[in-house]
Amino acid sequence: MQHSQDHSTAPENPIIPGFHPDPSCVCVDGIFYLVNSTFQWFPHISVHVSQDLINWIPCKGAINELGFISVNDAITRGHQTEGILAPTIRHHKTSTHNAKQGKFYVICTNILLTGKAETFIVTTTDPIEGKWSKPIQIDFHGIDPSLFFDVDDKVYFQGTMFPEKPADGKLPDGILPQIVQMEIDVNTGVSLSGTPKPLMKARGGGWAEGPHIYLKDGWYYGLLAEDGTEINHCVTMFRSRSIWGPFENHPHNPVLTARGTDEYVQGVGHADLFQDHAGNWWAVTLAVRLNDGRFPLGRETFLCPVTWLENGWPVFNNGKKLRMELEMTQPLPVTKQSNEFLSTPVKETLTSTNPRLIYLRDPDFSSYEWGDGSVSIVGKPANLQTPKGTSSLIGFRQRSLNAQVSVDVIFQPSGSNEEAGLSVYVDQLRHFDISVRGKTTNTNYRNTSAGLELAVELSG
């Protein structure tokens, strides 16, 4: 397989292009570790590392073994996607840890819109090595979980909790999920403060999610994503002298948004704050590149600087709208030390260990036999329209609007209903396929979003 795309030498957004929504980031010893949602794809929870915030290297996913978490029942309903949503990554060293014994924590939710929500924590001492713990389950019915490690080593869980549905399954008008908090034991997932308690609300009484807590200069700062993850998406900030609130509203909320504008970068929201090793603050956030009402690469990871006023409130992106050009109000991090892994780009090559490879839902690895730059794939009854379970599919995220992809296919069907080829795939509802089908010489072109199918007879 060949996969080429355009590259730019000047620092610009998105810093991680293509399907990389819901970013969360930490900096440890001069290395940045960033995680994203993966929805219905395996490995679950993508992980990238960088030394300069611009060049990112993919690692193994935070769940890279089968049997721990299943997304086989996760489907797409309209534009709502189920599966692995909104991870948060944090790093903590207790008073008994030395520098090499700190631990990374990733907390996330596996959700089905039918009501099932599976919240869990996985840990590691080295995300680059990619050996993560088994998931630790947390009894929480909601989405967008986060962790805050206080200076006294207490750990607090925040999340967006769904209200209990009445017997008829219909929520009263105006009843929305709420941001809640509880103290937890991160080693067991057990709450140490009883049931989750209300913490913050959206500033306008709307939909709030994606909560994070930070401590700076004696203030606990709360960050939220508000008003959905589409065109009205935004970032809001709050603060309190107590971890339990009450929280006051940032005087200029929302602190980051593109709504009501004709900017190319839209849907800005679901951010996370972090510091680099020089003490500068940054935010990563999701956004889309909107063109003619479409954003074919989905939600991508963008970066902006964050500065602090004398009154203790943060300013995102120098008060400007997020654009493709980075707003350089402060220097980018300087690489602390040479690292071959962190300076070697990873291309879309067909090798079984390539961290850019993704599989649909819970893959059946017995369907794939790897060779030198090639793979033999055994077909399954499930095809690309099948809403649940896995298909015989190997994927790469498209990371550029201008890309060229080619693949050599040797097809040996045993029946007329078998098919092999190449697909530009979003989900079971939206994909464009070029394939060879059955014991014929027909090449089939299928566009599921437009409901079109065209067969062209090949010559020779």
Side-chain angles (χ1 to χ4, degrees):
M1 170 177 282
Q2 295 180 345
H3 181 123
S4 63
Q5 46 192 79
D6 53 346
H7 295 278
S8 174
T9 57
E12 64 176 26
N13 277 311
I15 56 169
I16 305 183
F19 165 52
H20 292 101
D22 308 326
S24 178
C25 187
V26 294
C27 180
V28 180
D29 297 331
I31 299 177
F32 300 91
Y33 301 84
L34 189 146
V35 295
N36 295 99
S37 298
T38 46
F39 301 155
Q40 301 161 13
W41 295 92
F42 181 89
H44 308 314
I45 310 175
S46 63
V47 179
H48 284 78
V49 293
S50 174
Q51 288 184 296
D52 58 12
L53 290 176
I54 301 301
N55 299 289
W56 292 87
I57 304 299
C59 303
K60 293 181 179 179
I63 297 182
N64 52 62
E65 295 182 50
L66 294 175
F68 293 150
I69 295 291
S70 174
V71 295
N72 256 349
D73 291 332
I75 65 173
T76 299
R77 304 171 189 270
H79 290 280
Q80 291 183 302
T81 302
E82 302 175 343
I84 304 296
L85 272 65
T88 295
I89 185 169
R90 295 292 181 256
H91 182 267
H92 183 63
K93 295 191 291 283
T94 67
S95 56
T96 60
H97 284 157
N98 62 37
K100 294 184 178 181
Q101 290 177 323
K103 187 180 289 186
F104 292 85
Y105 299 79
V106 169
I107 186 168
C108 195
T109 300
N110 180 20
I111 188 168
L112 301 180
L113 298 176
T114 52
K116 178 184 176 182
E118 186 180 16
T119 301
F120 59 89
I121 298 173
V122 290
T123 67
T124 186
T125 57
D126 186 357
I128 294 177
E129 185 181 18
K131 293 182 179 179
W132 293 80
S133 71
K134 295 180 180 180
I136 301 167
Q137 300 295 327
I138 299 174
D139 185 12
F140 178 72
H141 183 65
I143 58 171
D144 294 10
S146 185
L147 292 174
F148 172 72
F149 292 84
D150 212 339
V151 292
D152 58 3
D153 289 336
K154 289 185 178 180
V155 187
Y156 297 90
F157 167 102
Q158 300 82 35
T160 301
M161 188 170 74
F162 299 146
E164 292 293 331
K165 287 186 178 181
D168 62 4
K170 298 180 180 179
L171 291 173
D173 291 341
I175 301 298
L176 296 172
Q178 56 183 332
I179 304 302
V180 298
Q181 179 172 267
M182 59 185 175
E183 183 185 350
I184 69 165
D185 181 339
V186 289
N187 296 311
T188 64
V190 174
S191 172
L192 302 178
S193 58
T195 58
K197 297 174 176 59
L199 187 66
M200 288 180 284
K201 294 182 178 180
R203 77 208 181 288
W207 186 286
E209 55 192 0
H212 296 303
I213 296 290
Y214 315 91
L215 180 62
K216 184 180 186 296
D217 300 331
W219 287 101
Y220 291 92
Y221 289 88
L223 179 146
L224 297 181
E226 294 192 26
D227 298 332
T229 189
E230 296 182 358
I231 206 69
N232 288 323
H233 210 193
C234 65
V235 180
T236 56
M237 290 289 293
F238 307 81
R239 71 181 181 185
S240 171
R241 289 295 188 185
S242 168
I243 185 68
W244 292 104
F247 284 80
E248 63 177 291
N249 200 15
H250 192 299
H252 299 296
N253 269 333
V255 293
L256 192 64
T257 188
R259 66 184 179 189
T261 73
D262 59 358
E263 295 285 341
Y264 178 50
V265 178
Q266 289 284 340
V268 178
H270 201 103
D272 192 14
L273 288 169
F274 59 96
Q275 283 183 279
D276 63 25
H277 51 271
N280 294 318
W281 287 78
W282 304 86
V284 285
T285 182
L286 72 78
V288 300
R289 289 181 269 177
L290 190 65
N291 188 14
D292 293 331
R294 299 177 181 272
F295 38 96
L297 297 189
R299 289 169 286 181
E300 307 174 90
T301 293
F302 284 67
L303 175 73
C304 75
V306 177
T307 54
W308 296 82
L309 301 175
E310 290 185 1
N311 63 9
W313 285 112
V315 176
F316 286 65
N317 208 46
N318 203 25
K320 300 178 181 179
K321 299 301 180 185
L322 199 62
R323 295 189 172 95
M324 297 293 288
E325 303 80 17
L326 281 174
E327 184 70 21
M328 300 303 295
T329 61
Q330 57 199 26
L332 287 166
V334 177
T335 299
K336 293 182 66 176
Q337 57 187 359
S338 177
N339 185 306
E340 182 179 357
F341 177 85
L342 291 170
S343 59
T344 306
V346 178
K347 299 180 179 180
E348 284 79 358
T349 54
L350 273 179
T351 57
S352 62
T353 57
N354 190 332
R356 293 201 185 278
L357 277 177
I358 54 176
Y359 302 85
L360 186 59
R361 302 189 183 91
D362 298 355
D364 177 4
F365 287 119
S366 68
S367 297
Y368 310 99
E369 183 177 341
W370 291 90
D372 184 14
S374 65
V375 60
S376 297
I377 304 176
V378 178
K380 286 185 168 296
N383 58 30
L384 299 184
Q385 288 84 255
T386 304
K388 294 184 179 182
T390 191
S391 303
S392 293
L393 169 67
I394 293 173
F396 292 104
R397 293 170 176 84
Q398 183 176 332
R399 298 186 288 126
S400 171
L401 290 169
N402 301 306
Q404 294 181 348
V405 181
S406 64
V407 61
D408 295 325
V409 178
I410 301 174
F411 185 40
Q412 298 176 323
S414 59
S416 59
N417 62 341
E418 296 182 8
E419 186 176 13
L422 185 67
S423 178
V424 179
Y425 184 94
V426 176
D427 51 46
Q428 84 271 11
L429 303 175
R430 289 167 284 266
H431 49 93
F432 185 90
D433 312 327
I434 303 175
S435 66
V436 181
R437 182 182 300 171
K439 294 184 175 181
T440 69
T441 57
N442 283 356
T443 297
N444 298 277
Y445 301 86
R446 183 186 305 108
N447 185 340
T448 57
S449 26
L452 302 175
E453 183 169 345
L454 175 67
V456 179
E457 184 172 340
L458 298 176
S459 61

